[in-house]
Amino acid sequence: MRKNAGRRAAPAAIAFTFFTLLPATAHAQCGSASWYALTSKTASGERMNPSAMTAAHRKLPFGTKVRVVNRRNGRAVTVRINDRGPFVGGRILDLSKAAAAKLGFLRAGHTKICLEQLD
């Protein structure tokens, strides 16, 4: 008797449902994000402003605007990339304190997010 006899394969609808929830763009990314509130100069040369809606990303060009959605509560913000980072493994974005507050994860320090590059 086969080991998997009587078991059904995972339904294909699960994968389909997952992809329909995400934006259909080539620039969508999901992962972990944290926040920071330094006042030193950023990699772009401007001074970091914790009350501005900005973020650090490893590769996106400076000035790129991205929409960030907190996957835990559904809140969303638009931020401008002006710095490089994060430099912690597994994280894809470092947000300003103001952006983290609007997304609702100041106390936690980090959260799961999806980001989409805007045109």
Side-chain angles (χ1 to χ4, degrees), residues 26-108:
H27 300 289
Q29 262 188 305
C30 292
S32 182
S34 55
W35 66 271
Y36 69 118
L38 304 174
T39 56
S40 58
K41 278 193 173 180
T42 65
S44 66
E46 64 185 89
R47 184 145 314 271
M48 168 49 168
N49 179 356
S51 60
M53 299 301 282
T54 58
H57 189 276
R58 287 189 183 105
K59 295 181 180 177
L60 287 175
F62 297 137
T64 302
K65 292 194 177 184
V66 295
R67 181 173 182 263
V68 182
V69 179
N70 184 335
R71 290 171 48 192
R72 295 182 183 187
N73 62 20
R75 294 183 189 179
V77 296
T78 299
V79 296
R80 180 178 51 87
I81 303 298
N82 74 336
D83 203 1
R84 290 290 172 234
F87 300 108
V88 175
R91 295 200 183 142
I92 61 169
L93 202 63
D94 265 342
L95 293 155
S96 66
K97 186 175 181 179
K102 290 218 180 208
L103 289 172
F105 73 95
L106 272 182
R107 287 192 72 182

